[in-house]
Amino acid sequence: MTLTPADESFAAPLRARLPEDTLREAEARHLEEPRGRYRGSGGLLALPRSVEEVSVLIAAAAAARVGVVPWGGGTGLVGGQTLTEGPRPLILSLERMRAIRAVHPEENVLVAEAGAILADVQAAAHDAGRLFPLSLASEGSARIGGNLATNAGGVNVLRYGNTRDLCLGLEAVLPDGRIWHGLTRLRKDNTGYDLRNLLIGSEGTLGVITAAALKLSPIPAGQGTAMLVVESPAAALELLSLAWAQLGEGVSAFELIHRQGFDFLTEVLPEVRQPFATPPEWSVLIEVGLAAGLDPSEALERLFATAAERGLVSDGVIAQSDAQRRALWTVREHLPEANRRIGSVSSHDISVPLGAVAAFIEKGGAAIARIGQFRINCFGHLGDGNLHYNVFPMPGRSRADHENQRGEIKSAVHDLVAALGGSISAEHGIGRMKVEDLERYGDPVKLAAMRAIKTALDPQGIMNPGAVLPA
Amino acid sequence: MTLTPADESFAAPLRARLPEDTLREAEARHLEEPRGRYRGSGGLLALPRSVEEVSVLIAAAAAARVGVVPWGGGTGLVGGQTLTEGPRPLILSLERMRAIRAVHPEENVLVAEAGAILADVQAAAHDAGRLFPLSLASEGSARIGGNLATNAGGVNVLRYGNTRDLCLGLEAVLPDGRIWHGLTRLRKDNTGYDLRNLLIGSEGTLGVITAAALKLSPIPAGQGTAMLVVESPAAALELLSLAWAQLGEGVSAFELIHRQGFDFLTEVLPEVRQPFATPPEWSVLIEVGLAAGLDPSEALERLFATAAERGLVSDGVIAQSDAQRRALWTVREHLPEANRRIGSVSSHDISVPLGAVAAFIEKGGAAIARIGQFRINCFGHLGDGNLHYNVFPMPGRSRADHENQRGEIKSAVHDLVAALGGSISAEHGIGRMKVEDLERYGDPVKLAAMRAIKTALDPQGIMNPGAVLPA
């Protein structure tokens, strides 16, 4: 089905129906994405202020068969926010819909519009004495609507779940322009199919989320952070089991760091203070958040002592102050920036079952070595089985030198992931970057069901064309 | 679209393809449901042993346009398991597919076939030193496939979520007979639409779940139970906030009990030992599960002391032994049986936002009083805003005396729930009992999307016809 360009004949009647400054020409920032791999050639930018205006815009797009690209904070890493081909689209940015509509601390609920910046949602929850646990590198510019549309992950998934686990209800505009008023604050609601979870993670291809009722949590009475040197990824997983046994759900984050990450920091971000004189081959960053009556540092010391007895850990730093906690997290948080400065040949956001993590790391290294000489920075959310497995050129070489090997590296990593029952996109989504990968590695019956659902809800294919499924 | 009866011309070719004892005439137990409100007149019963056999059965039903009723443990309370109208169906019981396929304690994952009894899943997790937290009255006969199909709730939702929150992956047969191999054990997997959550809670109308990868949790190091007398439902909610502040996610269950429940126990189950000499107007049953280093009884005593200072609680019993814990839970667990023996005029499984619970109870009582003289037993999962709001005849009268008022009572309760932004089915689902209610109270845009999805995935309408959506 051919789409129609969002040209002046489309825009003119809309201008008459919407406030004066709602429509304009898309700016550069709406046509690019952070890694610079996708770039749109233009578009009609809409900046609605209400769900009713979103409804008017989508209904008009549906009537005219104009493609719609929902735009959140623009921080996505797989090109889901950038249409590079096809007729000029309507780019729908929700940046003006950024209100925190309500906070219900007694219910542990916050209602935010889709354009609210993630950090603002976190702050509003904190001001009410509650925690909104979604936390990721781009939280200062990512918007909650985009987090929902991509089911964003981050560092607290281990304890609090992915974004979909933090959402109770949605308000959304479906591809025919009709508004779904599903903004429930209910913990239990078994009235029909789970449209909420269908929209969450559909990357704007089934509708536009305009507001969400979000689940808050109590702020743990005390938090503690440690970076422990482990003998191997397998030992790290044993350490995680031990931590669960001792602290239950109190384990909030469990991040794996490889020596390569420390070396990259030394190389390109020497100002980041590192906790170890000699970077360890493998270490983990552990965060715990405990109930009143438990001392987090003591709990981490007890964990370290038991783990040392069992030969799982050999060294470590347990933060004794908030400043030390921040310093340890600073190391972890600068790894992506160090990676960017080095410049990867190929990056992979993958997950495997926890029991297969060690095998993945071992076999992955061997597979890459068969292709050539590379540096591998393997780090990430070990507790979720989610690794950012990034392959870099050796010192003195650049990513351009390996352009022709990128496809081979990607296939080697993804083939291995698939063989181990893993996912080729753990937390970033499919966007436009992994559409072919999904067709190749996805379950064919699930893909058929996805296409049937897409056709049923968006028969003209106007919503984010070319994302998730081939256009 | 008219369905075809599952007669001998349908069965004969299947008999040739499947093991001898796979097909037989449905027995009485497959044609009834616990409350005796729905009764099927017959059906061809299939007892497959594998997902491949399920696939053969569904494909044949699709080819012949035969209606399929998936049957789990038969414990559903809304008639989802019982077809009462239309051509003779194929009743698909998964009772032979009850294997625990694998337990991965190091991953906190268990893989069970859909026919596994919930109590057996709990036991398998426990044997591996883990907790499968789904817990409900019928756990000794409910099957996990049915729990998933209905997104069952229960007493631990407050801490661990509904059944959908306990599932990582599914194996299922879709309405065309094809097998979806989605049995992933991944914590993060953003590869396309959330087919898992679409099937969960769809009550067998979009496919048949044949196996699931389930999320386990650490067993809390110590558990504690208390029954505290609260001044009002509003005070109970303040107590919950206080408990969260002191114990974080350690609060596993928070159940509201009204005096009427104790009185019913005295009336029809006098052998159940009650904790209070004089039944309190309102009380809550609190369960906490805490990490090592915290004494649950001490934690509950501290909670009681603070709550008493604030005037929220006036009396209470804190269990000092496992036997006392069991005794308190025995009271709560016998409330549904006492209700059954008294015989309700109308029962309601509803939820409202936590902040609206007190208003619901007050306005609900007034609305019922306007209809007539009744006894109301309002109890349930207060922490989830989920109340079982059941209306009973006065002593000496029977439900038959109020037959003509049932509709009026139901409408009054559901209208109030809708006005407060609540749900007319919190945890039991829609089944066949609430199809009309869903059409009346459901969001029309969501209903339209549901119908579009149903038609897309099950164009012939063979899967559990008449459940959730009108046939």
Side-chain angles (χ1 to χ4, degrees):
Chain A
M1 205 167 307
T2 317
L3 295 173
T4 303
D7 56 19
E8 192 50 31
S9 71
F10 171 73
L14 275 173
R15 281 190 220 285
R17 296 180 60 191
L18 294 168
E20 198 174 359
D21 59 348
T22 304
L23 294 175
R24 61 174 72 156
E25 189 57 33
E27 299 155 28
R29 69 187 175 100
H30 295 108
L31 299 169
E32 293 169 352
E33 46 82 43
R35 290 183 180 166
R37 293 182 189 164
Y38 296 84
R39 192 179 299 268
S41 58
L44 177 66
L45 177 68
L47 297 164
R49 288 184 168 81
S50 67
V51 63
E52 290 78 15
E53 290 181 15
V54 176
S55 172
V56 166
L57 288 159
I58 303 277
R65 287 195 181 172
V66 162
V68 179
V69 180
W71 204 88
T75 60
L77 295 169
V78 288
Q81 70 275 54
T82 315
L83 185 71
T84 55
E85 290 173 5
R88 170 182 160 90
L90 177 68
I91 299 172
L92 191 67
S93 171
L94 298 196
E95 61 204 81
R96 283 175 176 165
M97 291 181 63
R98 57 193 299 163
I100 306 293
R101 286 194 194 160
V103 186
H104 304 272
E106 79 288 3
E107 296 183 5
N108 277 336
V109 174
L110 180 154
V111 180
E113 290 186 343
I117 302 274
L118 173 52
D120 294 341
V121 176
Q122 294 167 345
H126 197 267
D127 290 348
R130 294 292 182 271
L131 174 73
F132 182 62
L134 182 64
S135 176
L136 33 84
S138 61
E139 61 197 26
S141 47
R143 296 176 192 273
I144 192 67
N147 297 142
L148 287 158
T150 59
N151 186 31
V155 294
N156 286 329
V157 173
L158 181 65
R159 179 171 188 163
Y160 298 102
N162 296 285
T163 305
R164 71 168 73 256
D165 303 304
L166 304 175
C167 178
L168 295 170
L170 290 180
E171 175 191 270
V173 177
L174 298 194
D176 60 1
R178 292 206 288 172
I179 302 169
W180 171 40
H181 294 285
L183 210 48
T184 163
R185 284 143 45 203
L186 306 174
R187 304 274 160 173
K188 282 182 173 172
D189 179 17
N190 275 342
T191 50
Y193 303 162
D194 190 358
L195 192 56
R196 176 189 69 198
N197 275 309
L198 187 62
L199 288 178
I200 295 173
S202 69
E203 305 186 32
T205 63
L206 298 177
V208 178
I209 293 167
T210 55
L214 301 168
K215 218 189 274 183
L216 307 180
S217 288
I219 298 177
Q223 288 186 287
T225 308
M227 200 175 277
L228 305 185
V229 176
V230 292
E231 296 306 299
S232 63
L237 283 168
E238 278 189 64
L239 177 63
L240 176 59
S241 276
L242 185 63
W244 275 330
Q246 290 190 354
L247 301 167
E249 298 100 320
V251 187
S252 306
F254 198 87
E255 300 280 305
L256 183 72
I257 301 176
H258 183 249
R259 181 188 42 74
Q260 190 65 66
F262 291 113
D263 289 350
F264 280 177
L265 287 174
T266 305
E267 195 174 329
V268 295
L269 291 169
E271 66 275 23
V272 174
R273 207 170 137 203
Q274 296 192 20
F276 302 110
T278 308
E281 187 72 10
W282 292 106
S283 56
V284 291
L285 179 65
I286 309 177
E287 171 100 355
V288 298
L290 303 179
L294 289 176
D295 183 302
S297 297
E298 277 174 26
L300 285 166
E301 272 155 30
R302 197 166 56 243
L303 175 65
F304 179 79
T306 318
E309 266 172 38
R310 298 191 188 174
L312 302 174
V313 301
S314 59
D315 194 3
V317 177
I318 297 173
Q320 301 299 330
S321 67
D322 271 357
Q324 287 182 14
R325 286 187 53 225
R326 285 303 327 145
L328 292 178
W329 273 105
T330 297
V331 171
R332 166 65 182 86
E333 285 162 0
H334 280 82
L335 294 178
E337 178 57 24
N339 284 348
R340 260 188 293 274
R341 296 196 186 189
I342 299 284
S344 76
V345 179
S346 187
S347 308
H348 312 92
D349 162 43
I350 62 95
S351 66
V352 291
L354 282 187
V357 165
F360 170 78
I361 291 174
E362 192 191 323
K363 292 181 182 181
I368 301 299
R370 280 194 293 273
I371 297 171
Q373 267 205 306
F374 296 96
R375 291 182 292 178
I376 298 171
N377 190 11
C378 171
F379 70 107
H381 319 295
L382 184 65
D384 314 317
N386 174 200
L387 298 173
H388 298 300
Y389 191 82
N390 299 347
V391 179
F392 296 85
M394 295 299 283
R397 311 205 64 180
S398 79
R399 51 184 294 177
D401 297 334
H402 298 285
E403 202 64 45
N404 60 345
Q405 290 170 302
R406 184 170 298 154
E408 196 182 348
I409 291 170
K410 192 181 79 169
S411 292
V413 172
H414 285 179
D415 287 352
L416 178 59
V417 164
L420 292 170
S423 168
I424 56 153
S425 183
E427 59 176 8
H428 295 165
I430 299 299
R432 292 180 171 80
M433 192 164 84
K434 295 188 178 177
V435 171
E436 281 174 37
D437 293 312
L438 181 57
E439 295 288 316
R440 177 169 169 193
Y441 295 102
D443 179 89
V445 174
K446 176 178 171 180
L447 281 165
M450 284 171 57
R451 283 189 286 265
I453 292 165
K454 170 73 172 173
T455 303
L457 297 182
D458 181 16
Q460 306 193 102
I462 62 166
M463 292 307 307
N464 213 1
V468 185
L469 293 167
Chain B
M1 204 164 306
T2 318
L3 296 174
T4 303
D7 56 17
E8 191 50 32
S9 70
F10 171 73
L14 275 172
R15 280 190 222 284
R17 295 179 61 191
L18 294 167
E20 196 174 1
D21 59 347
T22 304
L23 296 174
R24 61 174 75 156
E25 189 58 33
E27 299 153 29
R29 69 187 175 98
H30 295 108
L31 298 170
E32 294 169 353
E33 46 82 45
R35 290 181 179 166
R37 292 182 189 164
Y38 296 85
R39 193 179 298 268
S41 58
L44 177 66
L45 176 67
L47 298 164
R49 289 186 167 81
S50 68
V51 62
E52 290 77 16
E53 290 181 15
V54 175
S55 172
V56 167
L57 288 158
I58 304 275
R65 288 196 181 171
V66 163
V68 178
V69 179
W71 205 87
T75 60
L77 295 169
V78 288
Q81 70 275 55
T82 315
L83 185 71
T84 56
E85 291 172 5
R88 171 182 159 91
L90 176 69
I91 298 172
L92 192 66
S93 170
L94 299 196
E95 60 205 83
R96 284 176 176 164
M97 291 182 63
R98 57 193 299 163
I100 306 294
R101 285 195 194 159
V103 186
H104 304 272
E106 79 288 3
E107 297 183 6
N108 276 337
V109 174
L110 179 154
V111 181
E113 290 186 341
I117 301 273
L118 173 52
D120 293 341
V121 175
Q122 294 168 344
H126 197 266
D127 290 348
R130 295 292 183 270
L131 175 72
F132 182 63
L134 181 64
S135 176
L136 33 83
S138 62
E139 60 198 26
S141 47
R143 296 176 192 272
I144 192 67
N147 297 143
L148 287 157
T150 58
N151 185 32
V155 293
N156 288 328
V157 172
L158 181 65
R159 179 172 188 161
Y160 298 101
N162 296 285
T163 305
R164 71 169 72 258
D165 303 303
L166 305 175
C167 179
L168 296 170
L170 290 180
E171 174 191 271
V173 177
L174 298 194
D176 61 2
R178 291 206 288 172
I179 301 169
W180 171 39
H181 294 284
L183 210 48
T184 162
R185 281 143 45 202
L186 305 175
R187 303 274 160 174
K188 282 181 172 173
D189 179 19
N190 274 343
T191 51
Y193 304 161
D194 190 359
L195 193 55
R196 178 189 66 197
N197 274 308
L198 188 61
L199 287 179
I200 295 174
S202 69
E203 306 185 32
T205 63
L206 298 177
V208 178
I209 294 167
T210 54
L214 302 168
K215 220 189 272 183
L216 306 181
S217 289
I219 298 176
Q223 288 187 286
T225 308
M227 200 175 276
L228 305 184
V229 176
V230 293
E231 296 307 298
S232 63
L237 283 168
E238 278 189 64
L239 177 64
L240 176 59
S241 276
L242 185 63
W244 275 329
Q246 291 190 354
L247 300 167
E249 298 100 321
V251 188
S252 307
F254 198 87
E255 301 280 305
L256 183 72
I257 302 176
H258 182 249
R259 179 187 45 70
Q260 190 65 67
F262 292 113
D263 289 349
F264 280 177
L265 287 174
T266 303
E267 196 175 328
V268 295
L269 291 169
E271 67 275 23
V272 174
R273 208 170 135 201
Q274 296 191 20
F276 302 109
T278 308
E281 187 71 8
W282 291 105
S283 56
V284 291
L285 179 65
I286 308 176
E287 172 98 356
V288 298
L290 304 178
L294 288 176
D295 183 304
S297 295
E298 278 173 25
L300 285 166
E301 272 155 30
R302 198 166 56 243
L303 176 65
F304 179 81
T306 318
E309 266 172 38
R310 298 191 190 174
L312 303 175
V313 300
S314 58
D315 194 3
V317 177
I318 297 173
Q320 301 299 330
S321 66
D322 270 357
Q324 287 181 13
R325 287 188 52 227
R326 285 306 324 147
L328 292 177
W329 274 105
T330 296
V331 171
R332 166 64 182 85
E333 286 162 0
H334 279 82
L335 293 178
E337 178 57 25
N339 284 347
R340 259 189 293 275
R341 295 195 186 189
I342 299 285
S344 75
V345 178
S346 187
S347 309
H348 312 91
D349 161 44
I350 63 94
S351 66
V352 292
L354 282 187
V357 165
F360 170 78
I361 291 174
E362 192 191 323
K363 292 182 182 180
I368 301 298
R370 280 194 293 275
I371 298 172
Q373 266 205 307
F374 296 95
R375 292 182 291 179
I376 298 171
N377 190 10
C378 170
F379 70 106
H381 319 295
L382 184 66
D384 314 317
N386 174 200
L387 298 174
H388 297 301
Y389 192 83
N390 299 347
V391 179
F392 296 85
M394 296 299 283
R397 309 204 66 180
S398 79
R399 49 183 298 176
D401 298 334
H402 299 285
E403 202 62 45
N404 60 344
Q405 289 171 304
R406 184 170 299 155
E408 195 182 349
I409 292 171
K410 192 181 79 170
S411 293
V413 172
H414 286 179
D415 286 353
L416 178 59
V417 164
L420 293 171
S423 168
I424 56 151
S425 183
E427 59 175 8
H428 295 164
I430 299 300
R432 292 180 171 81
M433 192 164 83
K434 295 188 177 176
V435 171
E436 281 174 37
D437 294 312
L438 181 58
E439 295 288 316
R440 176 169 170 193
Y441 295 102
D443 180 90
V445 174
K446 177 178 169 179
L447 281 166
M450 283 172 58
R451 284 189 286 266
I453 292 165
K454 170 73 173 174
T455 304
L457 296 183
D458 182 15
Q460 306 193 99
I462 62 166
M463 292 306 307
N464 213 2
V468 184
L469 293 166

